[in-house]
Amino acid sequence: MLKSGPRPGRPRDSHIDQAVLKAARELLAESGYTRVTMDATAARAGVGKAAIYRRFGSKAELLFAAAVHGMDIEPPADSGSLRGDLRAMAQVIHERLATPAAREVTPALLAEMSRDPALAARLQSTFVARERRDLEVIMERAHQRGELSRPGDPALAHLLLGGPLFVALLVLPGPLDEDRLDDIASVIAAGLIAHASGPARSG
Amino acid sequence: MLKSGPRPGRPRDSHIDQAVLKAARELLAESGYTRVTMDATAARAGVGKAAIYRRFGSKAELLFAAAVHGMDIEPPADSGSLRGDLRAMAQVIHERLATPAAREVTPALLAEMSRDPALAARLQSTFVARERRDLEVIMERAHQRGELSRPGDPALAHLLLGGPLFVALLVLPGPLDEDRLDDIASVIAAGLIAHASGPARSG
């Protein structure tokens, strides 16, 4: 049901964005992934359902943005080293994935993606592509600094950094303390630097 | 319902193991995770339900063993280098996770683990601990060879190798070809070698 009555004093778009994401987060905490609906989110946010569909193609995309991150993420500030930048990125990924909302959304999203390859492709071409761009910036910085003899493949770096954190936080939850984050960033930074100085892959 | 009639010519235990796992895999393929039951598995395997419960504490554990791996896994043969051993291990993990059964079981298992921390702890202390032992063997070999100046932390190596493969196969499915597996193994081997030569962590 669209709720599209008169909206005097209609807020600017970013206010709608924030209201929609806040409503989705509240509903997620109150009733869990499966019970959140676009209708309930629209009603809670005080916007029309069309306003939500203009922003998010599906409930899965809305709840990803509400629980994990949106399209407005930025890479961490330049720390002066690849290791430092990867450590900062590890912290950011940790903060995104360690929330109750992310833990609630992930299993349900994976189940939905496994049933719906088109959804999986949309999430990859939007949110995941956005994550990879941050790794691209970090690797380009390392190349400019002379740490990486070539910029390398941001998709590889994204998998190498994000994979262990995803598994440690959402698949095999266990202690993921500062030391472990340091170790992950150190191993990957050293590995990428050694790998970049090897022979380039043809093609 | 227990099916426990007379069992003339009762097979040895390993035959029961194989019959139970085969029955579970068939049911998984036919009807999906949620519809597989211990009763149906017992009936299909021609064994008593108690025989299944002696082996697996729950349906989740049965289906993990049927779809991913059991407790009888072994590390790959010594390839002569850490990089080679990690590459072989990456191949093994790829083969385990790329099957339709693993893709079917994973989202459901994650959802069940997120609702049931005791199950998550049991899976960690059995199957996951078993996976880590293979990494421990591989790192100990590298230490004996002189590649790693200390054996290092197998849980870290397990996360670093398994995390990217889990994500690439089950979370963000995309091309995971031989080159990508080579790159993952190379970066992690080089990274672990560099990391082991750094200062040891106190504690």
Side-chain angles (χ1 to χ4, degrees):
Chain A
M1 304 275 274
L2 290 177
K3 182 183 169 185
S4 55
R7 284 172 293 178
R10 181 179 177 176
R12 283 173 306 133
D13 273 3
S14 74
H15 290 183
I16 297 184
D17 293 346
Q18 293 314 312
V20 167
L21 293 172
K22 179 166 174 285
R25 274 191 287 265
E26 288 172 5
L27 290 166
L28 201 51
E30 290 165 22
S31 52
Y33 186 96
T34 50
R35 294 203 197 147
V36 178
T37 63
M38 298 297 248
D39 282 319
T41 307
R44 175 76 60 108
V47 304
K49 202 160 73 168
I52 301 187
Y53 276 112
R54 270 197 300 276
R55 289 165 173 78
F56 304 102
S58 65
K59 169 178 145 177
E61 284 151 281
L62 164 64
L63 293 187
F64 183 100
V68 189
H69 67 75
M71 293 297 286
D72 55 349
I73 56 176
E74 293 296 334
D78 190 337
S79 69
S81 72
L82 177 60
R83 177 179 167 163
D85 281 5
L86 291 178
R87 180 62 181 81
M89 195 74 231
Q91 192 69 36
V92 168
I93 297 172
H94 183 284
E95 282 159 18
R96 279 181 201 149
L97 296 183
T99 65
R103 290 182 198 277
E104 167 66 28
V105 155
T106 304
L109 264 182
L110 288 182
E112 228 181 299
M113 287 163 70
S114 75
R115 289 189 301 266
D116 181 356
L119 168 66
R122 284 204 309 279
L123 290 173
Q124 291 233 43
S125 67
T126 53
F127 300 112
V128 177
R130 194 60 201 73
E131 293 171 17
R132 285 198 187 121
R133 214 168 77 199
D134 288 353
L135 269 308
E136 192 174 359
V137 169
I138 286 172
M139 293 175 84
E140 181 55 39
R141 281 180 197 158
H143 179 52
Q144 294 296 330
R145 259 182 228 119
E147 286 184 289
L148 292 177
S149 59
R150 50 178 189 274
D153 179 357
L156 175 65
H158 178 261
L159 269 183
L160 286 167
L161 186 67
L165 295 174
F166 183 92
V167 166
L169 288 163
L170 297 169
V171 182
L172 309 173
L176 186 61
D177 55 15
E178 299 286 312
D179 285 350
R180 178 55 54 91
L181 292 174
D182 287 347
D183 287 343
I184 290 172
S186 294
V187 171
I188 296 169
L192 288 172
I193 289 168
H195 190 64
S197 69
R201 206 171 273 304
S202 58
Chain B
M1 303 285 273
L2 292 176
K3 183 184 170 186
S4 55
R7 283 172 294 178
R10 181 179 176 176
R12 284 173 304 134
D13 273 2
S14 74
H15 290 183
I16 296 185
D17 292 347
Q18 294 313 312
V20 167
L21 292 172
K22 178 166 174 284
R25 274 190 285 266
E26 288 171 7
L27 290 167
L28 202 50
E30 291 165 21
S31 52
Y33 186 96
T34 50
R35 293 202 199 150
V36 178
T37 63
M38 298 297 247
D39 283 319
T41 307
R44 174 77 60 109
V47 304
K49 203 161 71 170
I52 302 188
Y53 275 113
R54 271 195 300 276
R55 290 165 173 77
F56 303 103
S58 64
K59 170 178 144 176
E61 284 150 282
L62 165 64
L63 294 187
F64 184 99
V68 188
H69 67 76
M71 292 297 287
D72 56 348
I73 55 176
E74 294 295 334
D78 190 337
S79 69
S81 71
L82 176 61
R83 177 179 168 164
D85 282 5
L86 292 178
R87 180 63 180 80
M89 195 74 232
Q91 193 68 37
V92 168
I93 297 173
H94 184 283
E95 282 159 17
R96 282 183 200 146
L97 296 182
T99 66
R103 290 181 197 279
E104 168 64 28
V105 154
T106 304
L109 264 182
L110 288 183
E112 228 180 299
M113 288 164 69
S114 75
R115 288 188 301 265
D116 181 356
L119 169 65
R122 283 203 310 279
L123 291 173
Q124 291 233 41
S125 66
T126 53
F127 301 112
V128 177
R130 192 64 202 73
E131 293 172 16
R132 285 198 186 121
R133 215 169 75 199
D134 289 352
L135 269 307
E136 194 174 356
V137 170
I138 287 172
M139 292 173 87
E140 183 56 38
R141 281 180 196 156
H143 179 52
Q144 295 295 332
R145 259 182 228 118
E147 286 183 290
L148 291 178
S149 59
R150 51 177 187 273
D153 178 357
L156 175 65
H158 177 261
L159 269 184
L160 285 167
L161 186 66
L165 295 173
F166 183 93
V167 166
L169 288 162
L170 297 169
V171 181
L172 308 173
L176 186 61
D177 55 15
E178 300 286 312
D179 286 349
R180 178 53 57 89
L181 292 174
D182 288 347
D183 287 343
I184 289 172
S186 296
V187 171
I188 296 170
L192 288 172
I193 289 168
H195 190 63
S197 68
R201 204 172 276 302
S202 58

